[in-house]
Amino acid sequence: FKNDEILLTGTSAGGYSHFAVQDPINSRMMSAISTLGGVGNFSATDLPKVLAGKTATARPSVSLTTQDINGSSSIKDFETMIQLVYLYFTNPRKDQDAYQSYVQRMETQLRNQEAEPMVAFSDSINSAIYGNNPLTQRIKSEDLDKLDYDRILGMYKQLFSNPGSFVFTLVGNINEDEVRPVIERYLASLPAQSEKADFVKVPMDFKEGKMENIFHREMLNPKASVFNTITGNIKRDMKNQIQMSMFDQILDIVYTEKVREEEGGTYGVYSGGSISRYPEGQSILQIMFDTDPDTERLKHLNKIVLDELDNIVANGPRESDFSKVKEYMNKSYNENLKENGYWLNIIDNKYFYGEDMHTKYLETLNGITRADIQSYVGDFLKQGNLKTIIMIPNSTE
């Protein structure tokens, strides 16, 4: 859909799950550290100079369950992008100086973070959702002592050792006859076994039950921050994913009207929900807003926020909100059809995960009723896992 754009993604299963439990710090820092040295003969500072004047990028990354490589290029620089992919598989570059300098920067940054109220807020949220899981806790400055550059590069090489386990997807203005020899030269020539990799199941469970945590922090600019999270388990299929998206968009409309406009209580309430692929069906809705540091006022506003959830369970969403969201999602879908990035994602999910979020999307979306949303929200909320975290300045009683 763009005259001069080719996008690439390559996906393989595994990620840092293989090392996560034994070595959480090195595992989680792998994505950031493995590319610090650049690639092939080029340092991270030389690489942009070599690529000057070219439109080509490629970059590997490692998540808990996958290792990926993403790239983009113009038509004429397609070969450069594929060469970069080749080098990230065969020749990641070690650079001790770049590593040392990165660790020093991180140390300063992490030390400075300790005094930030929003970091304490984020830690409290994390603890409420995951407990003391070392795989979800914030990396602190003292954790940097546990980093081992050679170990990280060793783990990276292990994950990218078999290109045959990757599904590569290319989308864009592609002349197949022209790109085939380039793909054969750089990708097909990589030593590989055509076998599917897998990830190791690691503990990533949400804490169950209800809780409220209100705490004080010293602040330069006093404000109150309120965070509600509802967790549970919902089957991850197309209909449920669409319903979760509709639900959080409906909440955005309701909260803008009730909390921002009618109460003048905040600049905005953020709400977002998702159903994860792993742990399978693990679902979360997060609702967050900042307001004046007045305890009574914030409790009043948060009651409105939570009451609106119960209102949807009791009465379903308002017809006008429901129609507006459905109309918006239809429009977005039709716009996405003209985006290369949309197709890259759809095709990658289809061939890598076997999930098709495209073929019956409109049919599923338009078949959803207000009663469906009402019942969906009811099933989610009755699982009973509501956590509320509130941070207020020290001076507030």
Side-chain angles (χ1 to χ4, degrees), residues 129-310:
I129 297 173
Y130 291 106
N132 296 319
N133 187 338
L135 291 175
T136 64
Q137 287 176 353
R138 176 170 58 87
I139 305 259
K140 300 184 171 74
S141 57
E142 57 266 28
D143 293 325
L144 298 176
D145 294 341
K146 299 177 189 141
L147 287 177
D148 180 335
Y149 191 25
D150 287 331
R151 166 92 176 119
I152 286 172
L153 288 176
M155 295 191 305
Y156 171 90
K157 285 175 183 166
Q158 191 178 325
L159 292 180
F160 285 86
S161 64
N162 181 20
S165 68
F166 280 70
V167 171
F168 289 97
T169 304
L170 292 149
V171 167
N173 192 354
I174 296 173
N175 177 326
E176 286 194 38
D177 295 335
E178 285 174 18
V179 301
R180 182 175 291 276
V182 177
I183 290 168
E184 285 172 355
R185 190 175 323 140
Y186 293 106
L187 291 187
S189 66
L190 288 164
Q193 266 68 51
S194 177
E195 56 191 30
K196 195 168 171 6
D198 216 345
F199 68 90
V200 176
K201 294 192 170 180
V202 296
M204 290 296 281
D205 298 332
F206 288 152
K207 280 176 74 176
E208 294 188 346
K210 293 194 173 194
M211 69 155 284
E212 183 177 72
N213 175 15
I214 302 178
F215 67 96
H216 292 73
R217 268 290 178 279
E218 197 61 54
M219 292 182 205
L220 282 174
N221 303 308
K223 64 169 183 177
S225 296
V226 181
F227 179 93
N228 298 289
T229 178
I230 295 155
T231 56
N233 208 280
I234 296 171
K235 185 173 184 230
R236 183 187 155 94
D237 58 23
M238 183 190 273
K239 183 175 180 181
N240 282 339
Q241 288 187 80
I242 292 173
Q243 290 189 129
M244 179 65 96
S245 179
M246 292 181 85
F247 177 34
D248 75 45
Q249 291 178 70
I250 286 164
L251 289 179
D252 283 338
I253 297 171
V254 171
Y255 292 150
T256 299
E257 180 188 314
K258 306 268 181 189
V259 183
R260 180 180 167 169
E261 290 165 5
E262 289 177 13
E263 291 283 338
T266 179
Y267 286 120
V269 179
Y270 161 81
S271 54
S274 62
I275 305 171
S276 72
R277 192 176 273 119
Y278 177 78
E280 199 176 328
Q282 187 171 276
S283 308
I284 186 164
L285 175 75
Q286 305 180 72
I287 306 166
M288 186 175 160
F289 63 94
D290 289 338
T291 186
D292 300 327
D294 171 334
T295 313
E296 287 312 308
R297 175 98 170 115
L298 74 84
K299 285 187 170 170
H300 167 67
L301 293 175
N302 205 41
K303 184 174 186 311
I304 295 172
V305 163
L306 298 176
D307 284 351
E308 286 303 327
L309 298 175
D310 294 334

Side-chain angles (χ1 to χ4, degrees), residues 118-134:
M118 288 315 282
V119 171
F121 188 53
S122 171
D123 286 350
S124 303
I125 290 167
N126 215 356
S127 166
I129 297 173
Y130 291 106
N132 296 319
N133 187 338

Side-chain angles (χ1 to χ4, degrees), residues 104-119:
Q104 283 163 359
R105 283 198 312 277
M106 281 296 286
E107 194 161 9
T108 310
Q109 199 179 324
L110 294 174
R111 285 232 163 92
N112 293 340
Q113 268 188 6
E114 293 299 330
E116 287 288 328
M118 288 315 282
V119 171

